[in-house]
Structure formats: C-alpha cells, structure tokens
Amino acid sequence: MKKILIVDDEPNIVMSLEYTFKKKNFEVFIARDGGEALQIAKDNIPDVVLLDIMMPNVDGYETLRKIKSNPSLKSIKVVFLSAKNKVADIEKGLKLGADKYLTKPFSVKKLVIEIEELLN
C-alpha cells in the first residue's frame, strides 16, 4: 500500500483529497503545517508528500528544504499543490527539489493521475 502525506491547512481540500486517495488504496496521513508534516514524514516515510506552500508556522518551501536535507527523507517524492501560480513561484518550488508543481484550483482526477505517474 502506497503512503501519501497531505499537508494543507484548508479542511475542505484535505477532506476531499483524503477521501480520494483512500479510495485509490493509499494509506493517508494528514498534516496542517510543515512542522507537523516533518514529524509525520519521519515516523511514517510516505511515498509522496502533497504539499501546500502558504501555511501557518512552517511554510511549504521550508518544509521541502527540510525534507530534502534529511538523508532518511530526501528520496520522498514531493508535489506542491498551491494557489501561488506565478512562474517565479513554480520555478522556486522546482528548484528547491519538488518533483511536480500543481496549482489550485485543481482537478482531482488530474492530480490522481499525476501522483500515480510519479510513483510508477
């Protein structure tokens, strides 16, 4: 069973994604900010992290930096899912090591396809 960590502070997005990925037979973990995400990632080593950028406490960019600098976490696939849709934001996310950068609003169906392709 593949593991996905959904990191977002928007309850409606989290609920929708949790439901969708559970239906696709993923083990789903939820975090509301980067600090919580890092702890869950260390404890569960997910296959992929779906990461928002604008969150309280530790933002997505800093969370990605910490994931990629940790030897036991750096091989985790990371997908940014953010409302920050400027070219500079996308380039920054990819330069920091994100495997994909998708913008909100998003198609859940397209997101699932992107995640499945990334993991195959």
Side-chain angles (χ1 to χ4, degrees):
M1 182 181 270
K2 296 286 187 190
K3 297 178 185 178
I4 187 167
L5 171 55
I6 300 166
V7 188
D8 202 308
D9 59 334
E10 283 285 324
N12 291 339
I13 290 174
V14 170
M15 283 178 12
S16 167
L17 293 175
E18 180 181 22
Y19 174 79
T20 299
F21 283 102
K22 279 185 175 176
K23 272 183 58 178
K24 292 286 181 182
N25 292 319
F26 279 77
E27 186 175 356
V28 179
F29 300 92
I30 307 291
R32 307 283 179 212
D33 66 46
E36 191 180 353
L38 289 164
Q39 192 56 57
I40 292 170
K42 287 174 189 169
D43 293 343
N44 299 284
I45 314 289
D47 297 287
V48 64
V49 175
L50 202 49
L51 185 58
D52 189 18
I53 293 174
M54 296 181 289
M55 297 180 294
N57 307 319
V58 183
D59 73 10
Y61 292 133
E62 184 60 25
T63 304
L64 177 60
R65 273 191 210 96
K66 289 181 177 180
I67 288 171
K68 293 301 177 181
S69 68
N70 183 322
S72 64
L73 303 179
K74 69 181 181 185
S75 65
I76 295 171
K77 303 287 187 198
V78 178
V79 177
F80 273 128
L81 186 60
S82 177
K84 292 174 79 73
N85 60 5
K86 293 190 173 80
V87 171
D89 298 319
I90 295 168
E91 287 175 352
K92 179 178 180 180
L94 294 173
K95 200 173 286 180
L96 286 171
D99 295 279
K100 291 190 180 281
Y101 192 116
L102 306 172
T103 57
K104 296 175 184 176
F106 60 94
S107 153
V108 172
K109 190 179 281 186
K110 183 176 186 283
L111 174 64
V112 169
I113 290 167
E114 294 277 355
I115 298 292
E116 287 176 340
E117 283 177 3
L118 190 61
L119 295 175
N120 289 328

